[in-house]
Amino acid sequence: MNIFRLTGDLSHLAAIIILLLKIWKTRSCAGISGKSQILFALVFTTRYLDLLTSFISLYNTVMKVIYIGCAYATVYLIYVKFKATYDGNHDTFRVEFLVVPVGGLSFLVNHDFSPLEILWTFSIYLESVAILPQLFMISKTGEAETITTHYLFFLGLYRALYLINWIWRFYFEGFFDMIAIVAGVVQTILYCDFFYLYVTKVLKGKKLSLPA
């Protein structure tokens, strides 16, 4: 494992922990898109079904279990524990417009036409757009809490680091995965505008608010 994948994993884990702590400490999920969190739970569930069929390493297994567990814990906090604070009026992105096309694409473009491979491909495609409901929610409210922006920053950083990881693996291991790379590029592009606002506003102590 190279340093870019490791730091990518740690950035991803940091994002998840930041979000869970934010919800738990404030006893509120205001400003958080429940729909994005459901999509991420679906991503991890369909990607890590290989936990039932193969063992790669202790690190690999532990991280997969943590991702799945935290994803469903987040969904539980939003839709059950702190349901009264969930802002469903602004979390209105039509997720079927993501899930259905992604599902169709995973059947058409994959490495191997087998159930586990199709589900893995589905998870890769879905992860690239799963943040859209959250970004859409921010665009509707016009602003985001600072802690929410930290969550989004680390989530975007994880994806960017993984892109570097794929480049590293191509040059030093001869490994190339077009599906993962294209999906990673799409996901990173979606974060570009947010990265700019994060650097120019949040890191300077200002609240992230969108232009009127």
Side-chain angles (χ1 to χ4, degrees):
M1 180 186 299
N2 63 65
I3 189 64
F4 300 112
R5 178 173 178 178
L6 178 60
T7 51
D9 285 345
L10 293 178
S11 178
H12 195 185
L13 188 59
I16 293 171
I17 292 173
I18 286 171
L19 182 62
L20 281 171
L21 287 178
K22 181 270 179 191
I23 297 174
W24 189 257
K25 285 190 172 183
T26 62
R27 317 296 286 179
S28 169
C29 56
I32 303 298
S33 169
K35 290 186 176 182
S36 269
Q37 297 310 312
I38 287 176
L39 292 181
F40 281 124
L42 184 58
V43 164
F44 296 136
T45 302
T46 52
R47 181 173 303 171
Y48 299 143
L49 287 174
D50 63 344
L51 281 170
L52 305 174
T53 60
S54 60
F55 177 81
I56 298 174
S57 69
L58 181 60
Y59 171 84
N60 184 277
T61 298
V62 169
M63 293 299 283
K64 288 177 179 179
V65 171
I66 289 175
Y67 288 150
I68 293 172
C70 288
Y72 281 98
T74 304
V75 170
Y76 168 77
L77 292 179
I78 293 173
Y79 287 100
V80 181
K81 183 75 173 177
F82 303 121
K83 183 179 179 180
T85 65
Y86 169 57
D87 187 8
N89 291 327
H90 288 115
D91 193 15
T92 56
F93 193 93
R94 299 285 297 275
V95 294
E96 61 269 29
F97 291 153
L98 298 178
V99 176
V100 174
V102 162
L105 185 61
S106 64
F107 271 93
L108 296 173
V109 183
N110 52 65
H111 295 308
D112 179 50
F113 199 77
S114 63
L116 281 181
E117 190 62 35
I118 290 173
L119 288 171
W120 178 86
T121 306
F122 172 81
S123 78
I124 294 295
Y125 292 151
L126 184 61
E127 186 183 22
S128 70
V129 295
I131 200 61
L132 281 177
Q134 179 67 63
L135 297 178
F136 182 73
M137 189 176 186
I138 291 176
S139 73
K140 290 195 71 176
T141 59
E143 60 182 22
E145 294 180 28
T146 300
I147 192 68
T148 304
T149 63
H150 292 332
Y151 158 71
L152 289 172
F153 172 77
F154 278 102
L155 203 58
L157 180 62
Y158 138 70
R159 198 67 262 181
L161 286 167
Y162 253 66
L163 268 183
I164 300 174
N165 163 62
W166 291 124
I167 295 172
W168 174 278
R169 293 191 66 185
F170 173 71
Y171 277 103
F172 293 96
E173 300 176 14
F175 182 83
F176 184 77
D177 189 327
M178 180 61 76
I179 289 176
I181 290 175
V182 171
V185 169
V186 170
Q187 190 172 358
T188 304
I189 289 173
L190 292 178
Y191 282 96
C192 284
D193 188 47
F194 168 79
F195 279 147
Y196 172 76
L197 292 174
Y198 185 86
V199 171
T200 57
K201 291 189 175 185
V202 180
L203 292 184
K204 293 181 179 180
K206 301 176 183 178
K207 187 172 184 178
L208 189 150
S209 56
L210 302 179

